[in-house]
Amino acid sequence: MRKNSVIVVGAGAAGCMAAVTAARRGFDVTLFDRNEKIGRKMLITGKGRCNVTNNCGKDELMSAVPVNGRFLYSAFAAFTPQDTIEFFEKNGVPLKTERGKRVFPQSDKSTDIIDAFFRNIRELHIRLVNESVIAFVFDENNAVTGVKTNNRTYTADSVILCTGGCSYPQTGSDGFGYRLAESAGHTIVPPLPSLIPIVTKEKWCAELQGLSLRNVTLTLKNEKNKTVYSELGEMLFTHYGVTGPLVLSASSHIDVRKSRDYTLTIDLKPAITEEQLDKRVLRDLEAFHNRDIINSLDELLPKRLIPVVVKLADLDAHKKCSELQKEERRRLVKTLKCLTLTFENFRPIEEAIITRGGVKVKEIDPKTMQSKLSPGLYLAGEIIDVNAYTGGFNLQIAFSTGFLAASSLESKD
């Protein structure tokens, strides 16, 4: 066993950051991944552009983590979004900040992020082993002292587990890391999909497949009619229901273990009140008084959405605008301000961007990311029961926890 040696299991965002950080501290690092190439999941994030972080402050960062955000306080303090930006720019990847403070490579290529890590791995002489870890090695005190693969046993002073959750299993994060953590005595909060498209009971969504809505407010209410999420942004209709940034973030607040009675409401005109919208609709109806109602809403709505809204408002599509009654206009305004969808299910967990659930945070020291149950074992990234909204926050969690775990390794010099 080499002095000050560490094994990192999983070459994703957390694992790469942990490996590079440990190597820079002088540790002898071996990085394991079953894939031939590192960063498979990073490659597909941000639609292939890799939204590496969010250029926000501490409070905004904490508020973007709806599950166990306080656990990450020390990790975020140790490695901030600004540290992430500096890390990649110093490693030859110019970055840019876009709408919503999302940070991307200027090239719009996720491969630039992975290449930056790979250059560090090569320059720091980190050994990259393309084998699947199947078990931990323990000593008599239940301390993790290495790992086993199908080929051999590898020993080290410490092991950092960064295998991800169970979303996008084709990238290698198939949930096996949970079994490794369990073997060290850890409790696994049952994994659920998070940041995932939503299947709705309403079938009219299929009529709008591909239609994107911008500057709308999406509100999610639970079975008690309590608002659990509400935000302005973008969303997209699909053949099964809805997706897009607003929907993905809303999905983080849906716990199907407790209830499936959630409703989604879309305010198509959030910038104005119901009263103001009523006056606007009245002006349009007067301007197009000789037209059918179905042909008079082009200035209010995308063309494909008009027939759906008219039907949901229970209006006669071919009634003249001049004949529309006040009650009918009220229903139209109500529909524009409160287009309602009913949650039926999530899409398959394989389509989730991240996994909610994982290793119970009470069993991990938040100041070091070391296991409280098994000395020598550290955990980082998506395998921990934390998750955030879309917008670069989840990669920041991976980078911050990976950095903190590697920074907390005890040197035996």
Side-chain angles (χ1 to χ4, degrees):
M1 178 165 51
R2 293 180 175 84
K3 194 175 185 183
N4 289 337
S5 57
V6 61
I7 286 171
V8 180
V9 185
C16 285
M17 183 60 76
V20 168
T21 303
R24 287 181 174 180
R25 291 187 60 209
F27 281 76
D28 188 272
V29 182
T30 305
L31 177 60
F32 284 82
D33 201 280
R34 66 179 63 180
N35 295 310
E36 291 184 9
K37 296 182 178 180
I38 66 169
R40 284 283 301 277
K41 194 169 180 181
M42 282 189 285
L43 193 66
I44 61 175
T45 60
K47 297 180 180 178
R49 298 171 62 210
C50 197
N51 182 187
V52 291
T53 189
N54 193 283
N55 195 1
C56 64
K58 179 181 65 177
D59 292 343
E60 196 173 348
L61 181 59
M62 292 294 292
S63 66
V65 188
V67 178
N68 296 323
R70 291 172 64 184
F71 170 81
L72 294 169
Y73 188 88
S74 294
F76 285 155
F79 199 78
T80 67
Q82 289 68 41
D83 291 326
T84 297
I85 292 169
E86 183 180 356
F87 175 88
F88 287 111
E89 293 198 323
K90 280 188 174 180
N91 280 280
V93 186
L95 302 176
K96 59 182 176 179
T97 301
E98 296 187 356
R99 182 180 43 79
K101 301 182 183 178
R102 290 168 164 84
V103 179
F104 295 90
Q106 285 187 13
S107 65
D108 287 328
K109 293 179 180 177
S110 57
T111 50
D112 286 359
I113 299 299
I114 294 164
D115 289 346
F117 273 128
F118 191 73
R119 283 194 300 273
N120 274 268
I121 288 169
R122 187 176 61 244
E123 292 166 5
L124 293 165
H125 306 293
I126 296 168
R127 278 179 302 284
L128 191 56
V129 180
N130 180 215
E131 295 180 36
S132 295
V133 172
I134 59 172
F136 286 143
V137 177
F138 298 94
D139 68 9
E140 63 278 4
N141 299 315
N142 197 43
V144 175
T145 59
V147 299
K148 293 179 181 178
T149 70
N150 288 318
N151 298 321
R152 56 170 286 194
T153 297
Y154 297 81
T155 57
D157 297 312
S158 306
V159 173
I160 306 177
L161 186 61
C162 312
T163 51
C166 51
S167 56
Y168 289 116
Q170 68 273 24
T171 65
S173 54
D174 60 359
F176 185 73
Y178 297 145
R179 294 194 285 279
L180 289 174
E182 282 181 314
S183 73
H186 280 284
T187 305
I188 305 300
V189 177
L192 288 173
S194 190
L195 300 188
I196 186 168
I198 290 174
V199 179
T200 62
K201 291 181 180 179
E202 289 76 13
K203 303 308 176 188
W204 52 259
C205 288
E207 300 173 36
L208 302 174
Q209 181 177 354
L211 176 64
S212 177
L213 299 179
R214 294 186 176 185
N215 298 317
V216 298
T217 294
L218 181 69
T219 299
L220 174 72
K221 293 187 177 182
N222 63 15
E223 73 281 1
K224 297 178 181 178
N225 203 36
K226 179 183 176 182
T227 296
V228 292
Y229 172 83
S230 188
E231 195 66 58
L232 176 76
E234 297 179 26
M235 59 176 291
L236 177 73
F237 289 103
T238 69
H239 66 282
Y240 53 77
V242 284
T243 186
L246 286 177
V247 175
L248 298 179
S249 290
S251 72
S252 299
H253 295 269
I254 296 175
D255 189 344
V256 293
R257 292 171 298 197
K258 296 178 180 178
S259 173
R260 289 178 181 264
D261 295 328
Y262 291 88
T263 56
L264 296 155
T265 57
I266 307 165
D267 185 345
L268 295 165
K269 299 295 173 184
I272 54 178
T273 65
E274 220 170 281
E275 184 180 359
Q276 291 169 327
L277 181 57
D278 185 48
K279 291 177 180 177
R280 165 74 191 278
V281 169
L282 187 58
R283 284 199 306 270
D284 284 0
L285 294 177
E286 289 172 348
F288 305 122
H289 63 280
N290 287 326
R291 291 187 187 179
D292 292 350
I293 186 65
I294 196 74
N295 297 321
S296 65
L297 302 176
D298 297 60
E299 294 183 12
L300 267 179
L301 296 169
K303 198 167 188 67
R304 290 178 60 197
L305 188 55
I306 294 172
V308 172
V309 166
V310 168
K311 185 175 181 180
L312 292 174
D314 193 25
L315 302 178
D316 180 351
H318 299 290
K319 192 170 189 176
K320 298 298 182 186
C321 292
S322 58
E323 299 172 358
L324 206 67
Q325 301 297 310
K326 184 177 180 179
E327 173 59 24
E328 292 173 308
R329 193 176 77 243
R330 189 195 66 80
R331 292 202 305 268
L332 174 59
V333 169
K334 194 73 175 175
T335 303
L336 293 171
K337 294 290 287 182
C338 193
L339 190 64
T340 302
L341 293 166
T342 313
F343 174 85
E344 183 171 29
N345 210 340
F346 291 131
R347 290 289 287 172
I349 195 169
E350 291 81 11
E351 295 182 28
I353 294 176
I354 60 165
T355 308
R356 178 179 180 177
V359 178
K360 199 170 186 177
V361 297
K362 289 183 178 179
E363 299 170 353
I364 304 168
D365 184 346
K367 294 182 179 179
T368 63
M369 294 295 126
Q370 185 171 17
S371 166
K372 293 180 179 179
L373 308 178
S374 185
L377 175 63
Y378 296 76
L379 303 104
E382 195 183 340
I383 193 170
I384 301 170
D385 181 26
V386 291
N387 69 277
Y389 298 144
T390 183
F393 300 109
N394 288 288
L395 273 181
Q396 184 60 48
I397 290 174
F399 295 142
S400 293
T401 55
F403 177 88
L404 180 57
S407 298
S408 304
L409 294 170
E410 295 180 9
S411 173
K412 300 192 176 185
D413 287 342

